[in-house]
């Protein structure tokens, strides 16, 4: 499929505008557009010239100028959308300058509280909450991930599901009453107490993750039919195992 032809560009549009300085009541010249790309204006202009005048694709033209494929197509598409402004320029009013881009103790504490409240939040959700709580804090989601994994030493793991009733208020009160009953009756757990516990598992369980080359899916052979769930129960005391079945 052929790419659409670039229109004629008018890069001589006003890149500066007059602004009123409220402190001195004088008219000053302020930049209307700011260059935001990591590539130079000369590289982007040459990219568009190769595409328009020599019929090269953005990918081929970008490779000649040291511009990555994704960036080359972004410049090309931006030129199609707005022929009056060289791609890479943005309105000064849309560029956040002077914002804080460094994490501080407040940001760290905020992320700690977020993760403690809901450990299943995604990086995008954490980034959104940071932006809402700290409007002047301008940071990319990838920087949030880097900070959390390197500075805060957090890592994303497979969830260990916990039954909510296990730590409910009613269950805690039952535990407290049991402990108080043991204290009041002077129970000697080493001689008079037996502890019983049960555990269920499936014999057909397999590891939930595996290794493979990048871009290649990983698979493992599993039985055609799931085995029934099994349960084991054990009784122990301070002297050791009493029974197990």
């Amino acid at each position: 499929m052929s790419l659409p032809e670039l229109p004629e560009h008018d890069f001589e549009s006003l890149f500066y505008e007059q602004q009123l300085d409220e402190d001195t009541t004088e008219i000053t010249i302020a930049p209307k557009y700011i260059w935001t790309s990591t590539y130079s204006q000369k590289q982007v202009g040459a990219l568009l010239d190769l595409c328009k005048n020599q019929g090269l694709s953005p990918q081929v033209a970008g490779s000649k100028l040291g511009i990555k494929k994704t960036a080359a197509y972004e410049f090309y598409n931006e030129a199609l959308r707005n022929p009056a402004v060289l791609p890479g320029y943005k309105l000064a009013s849309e560029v956040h300058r002077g914002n804080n881009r460094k994490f501080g103790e407040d940001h760290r504490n905020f992320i700690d509280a977020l993760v403690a409240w809901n450990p299943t939040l995604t990086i995008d959700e954490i980034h959104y909450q940071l932006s809402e709580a700290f409007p002047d804090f301008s940071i990319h989601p990838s920087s949030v991930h880097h900070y959390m994994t390197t500075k805060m030493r957090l890592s994303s793991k497979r969830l260990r599901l916990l039954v909510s009733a296990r730590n409910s208020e009613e269950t805690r009160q039952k535990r407290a009453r049991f402990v108080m009953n043991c204290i009041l009756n002077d129970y000697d757990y080493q001689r008079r107490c037996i502890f019983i516990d049960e555990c269920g598992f499936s014999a057909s369980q397999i590891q939930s993750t595996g290794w493979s080359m990048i871009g290649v899916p990983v698979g493992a052979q599993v039985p055609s039919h799931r085995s029934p769930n099994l349960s084991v129960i054990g009784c122990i005391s301070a002297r050791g195992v009493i029974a197990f079945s």
Side-chain angles (χ1 to χ4, degrees), residues 114-208:
L114 274 181
V115 173
W117 170 65
N118 185 359
T120 64
L121 288 173
T122 64
I123 292 296
D124 286 336
E125 290 170 333
I126 294 174
H127 174 261
Y128 173 78
Q129 294 292 341
L130 275 171
S131 301
E132 289 291 304
F134 304 94
D136 293 334
F137 186 55
S138 177
I139 203 74
H140 194 271
S142 61
S143 299
V144 176
H145 177 268
H146 179 76
Y147 179 78
M148 291 176 61
T149 54
T150 59
K151 302 299 183 181
M152 300 182 65
R153 300 187 62 80
L154 297 173
S155 63
S156 179
K157 310 174 184 67
R158 185 177 179 182
L159 285 176
R160 181 168 57 93
L161 302 181
L162 303 174
V163 180
S164 58
R166 177 176 295 179
N167 291 317
S168 65
E169 186 62 29
E170 181 182 357
T171 303
R172 293 183 180 185
Q173 291 178 3
K174 289 181 179 179
R175 291 174 186 161
R177 287 195 296 268
F178 175 79
V179 172
M180 290 302 300
N181 185 50
C182 292
I183 295 175
L184 294 175
N185 291 280
D186 194 22
Y187 283 164
D188 185 355
Y189 80 92
Q190 290 190 345
R191 293 187 301 172
R192 300 180 57 189
C193 292
I194 294 175
F195 301 90
I196 303 175
D197 197 12
E198 177 268 345
C199 178
F201 66 94
S202 173
S204 61
Q205 280 185 324
I206 62 171
Q207 183 71 17
S208 61

Side-chain angles (χ1 to χ4, degrees), residues 12-171:
E12 296 181 357
S13 56
L14 291 177
F15 273 72
Y16 291 87
E17 61 182 355
Q18 293 183 344
Q19 290 185 350
L20 176 63
D21 190 330
E22 296 180 357
D23 295 331
T24 61
T25 65
E26 293 181 357
I27 298 296
T28 59
I29 300 298
K32 184 178 180 181
Y33 289 92
I34 295 177
W35 184 255
T36 59
S37 175
T38 56
Y39 300 102
S40 68
Q41 295 96 321
K42 184 177 180 179
Q43 283 177 295
V44 177
L47 170 77
L48 300 179
D49 181 70
L50 289 174
C51 292
K52 180 173 178 59
N53 298 325
Q54 298 188 25
L56 299 181
S57 68
Q59 180 179 357
V60 175
S63 64
K64 293 179 176 292
L65 300 167
I67 300 177
K68 291 184 178 180
K69 174 183 175 181
T70 53
Y73 275 98
E74 286 177 2
F75 290 138
Y76 185 88
N77 292 329
E78 181 62 28
L80 290 175
R81 290 191 296 267
N82 188 6
V85 179
L86 182 68
Y89 277 108
K90 288 187 178 180
L91 285 170
S93 58
E94 298 177 354
V95 178
H96 300 285
R97 293 179 297 173
N99 285 346
N100 181 16
R101 297 176 181 270
K102 293 184 179 180
F103 285 91
E105 193 66 25
D106 290 342
H107 305 120
R108 185 189 186 100
N109 293 337
F110 184 80
I111 295 175
D112 271 333
L114 274 181
V115 173
W117 170 65
N118 185 359
T120 64
L121 288 173
T122 64
I123 292 296
D124 286 336
E125 290 170 333
I126 294 174
H127 174 261
Y128 173 78
Q129 294 292 341
L130 275 171
S131 301
E132 289 291 304
F134 304 94
D136 293 334
F137 186 55
S138 177
I139 203 74
H140 194 271
S142 61
S143 299
V144 176
H145 177 268
H146 179 76
Y147 179 78
M148 291 176 61
T149 54
T150 59
K151 302 299 183 181
M152 300 182 65
R153 300 187 62 80
L154 297 173
S155 63
S156 179
K157 310 174 184 67
R158 185 177 179 182
L159 285 176
R160 181 168 57 93
L161 302 181
L162 303 174
V163 180
S164 58
R166 177 176 295 179
N167 291 317
S168 65
E169 186 62 29
E170 181 182 357
T171 303

Side-chain angles (χ1 to χ4, degrees), residues 210-227:
W211 293 96
S212 70
M213 294 294 293
I214 294 176
V216 179
V218 61
Q221 297 291 331
V222 297
S224 300
H225 302 285
R226 288 178 56 89
S227 64

